[in-house]
Amino acid sequence: MWVRTRTVVAGGVVLVLLAVVGVLVLVRRIGGELRLPLASRTCTVQADGRVVLDADQMANAATVAAIGAQQGLPERAVVVALATAYQESGLRNLPDGDRDSVGLFQQRPSQGWGTPDEIRDPRYAAKRFYAALKKVRGWERMRITDAAQRVQRSAFPEAYQKWADESAVLSRALLGDVTGAVACTVGGTPVMRGEAAAAALTRSLALDWGVAGSAVPAELTGLTLAASDQRNGWRYAHWLVSHAQDHGVKRVRFEGLEWTARDGTWTEVAGDPQGASRVVAEVFADG
């Protein structure tokens, strides 16, 4: 009886091992197909610290930062907003949430934040958050979590503080304090291409930054942006890279550095005629 039991147990162990090996082999065989899309949508931000986001998170963070800058708010306001969105939604534009909460900041229509459709617009949601933050007396001198809590009235008032460091890294990069700080690798199938991508890019820049681009040279499809100084140039350049996946951005060049969707990194380029005066963006061509 003991021998029979031992044999059954041993057989079961062998079956489990075979199953594990089979799964590992399967993962290894399809790993290239699985890992490539995930890796291809990764953004790394280096600005006195390191943050890794996916393409959707990066685009949302860039828009939140841009709206704050467009409104003339200090960098600390952007840190508070990003820390809040980190905690509330993981920097994702959620279609729903607790009770009637929706969007990046999980704002509730029943509490007067707007209609569900309005709140699901990241720009609208960010503007409403900043408007509420500005009404908090002394928010500039508060801890990040205390300022966020005065706006959100969360059941977990300390939760926002754990995202303060990541949000500070994102803010430094997205507000142009660091050179070549946002690097995203775009997947092989961008959401948009050609003239449609260039038009959407121009429209989104106007909405996020309040600026308009002009056409790039005839041999390219994209736009150029005038940069009044180095900081503004890197704001636009980092925003363009952050939105590369959803707007079909293939290449961004500024101040002798160039980011490409193929490599996902910033490299030096020789003989840049635009120099530090213009940011140039190229989108994927049709076809």
Side-chain angles (χ1 to χ4, degrees):
M1 182 71 177
W2 178 80
V3 173
R4 184 178 179 183
T5 301
R6 184 177 179 182
T7 302
V8 171
V9 171
V13 171
V14 170
L15 289 173
V16 170
L17 289 174
L18 287 173
V20 171
V21 170
V23 169
L24 290 175
V25 170
L26 178 62
V27 169
R28 185 171 183 178
R29 287 182 64 187
I30 65 175
E33 296 174 12
L34 290 176
R35 286 195 297 267
L36 181 59
L38 292 175
S40 69
R41 294 173 63 87
T42 297
C43 297
T44 302
V45 182
Q46 298 272 8
D48 298 327
R50 184 173 183 269
V51 172
V52 178
L53 301 175
D54 67 24
D56 291 337
Q57 291 173 306
M58 194 71 240
N60 288 328
T63 287
V64 169
I67 294 299
Q70 185 186 159
Q71 295 190 351
L73 292 170
E75 189 166 323
R76 189 166 182 82
V78 175
V79 176
V80 175
L82 289 172
T84 303
Y86 246 127
Q87 172 59 27
E88 296 291 352
S89 68
L91 287 172
R92 300 185 189 282
N93 192 22
L94 300 179
D96 51 33
D98 180 44
R99 288 171 283 189
D100 61 336
S101 300
V102 295
L104 278 172
F105 299 92
Q106 288 292 279
Q107 294 155 330
R108 298 181 60 190
S110 63
Q111 294 184 349
W113 287 99
T115 67
D117 286 343
E118 286 175 330
I119 298 171
R120 290 188 188 100
D121 177 354
R123 298 178 181 97
Y124 174 92
K127 289 176 182 177
R128 288 301 307 269
F129 178 87
Y130 287 124
L133 180 64
K134 287 188 288 186
K135 293 179 181 178
V136 177
R137 179 172 297 182
W139 69 266
E140 303 93 334
R141 297 180 296 278
M142 295 180 181
R143 291 189 306 153
I144 297 299
T145 197
D146 293 335
Q149 172 63 5
R150 291 288 296 273
V151 175
Q152 298 294 107
R153 305 295 183 183
S154 169
F156 305 96
E158 291 294 319
Y160 305 103
Q161 193 64 32
K162 65 176 176 283
W163 303 110
D165 291 343
E166 288 88 343
S167 299
V169 170
L170 290 174
S171 296
R172 284 191 291 269
L174 294 170
L175 295 180
D177 295 333
V178 184
T179 296
V182 178
C184 299
T185 305
V186 176
T189 308
V191 175
M192 299 182 184
R193 288 177 177 269
E195 292 184 5
L201 202 58
T202 301
R203 184 168 57 252
S204 294
L205 275 163
L207 291 170
D208 279 14
W209 286 105
V211 298
S214 57
V216 299
E219 65 271 15
L220 302 177
T221 300
L223 55 85
T224 64
L225 288 164
S228 59
D229 54 35
Q230 182 188 51
R231 190 177 190 223
N232 271 333
W234 281 111
R235 287 180 174 188
Y236 303 150
H238 290 155
W239 184 96
L240 288 162
V241 174
S242 298
H243 283 278
Q245 181 69 38
D246 58 353
H247 283 71
V249 180
K250 181 180 180 181
R251 187 186 315 274
V252 178
R253 180 178 290 190
F254 178 62
E255 207 177 34
L257 293 176
E258 182 179 79
W259 167 90
T260 62
R262 181 187 62 187
D263 298 327
T265 57
W266 289 92
T267 57
E268 292 186 4
V269 291
D272 182 4
Q274 303 295 336
S277 63
R278 289 186 178 275
V279 181
V280 178
E282 178 187 355
V283 299
F284 283 92
D286 287 319

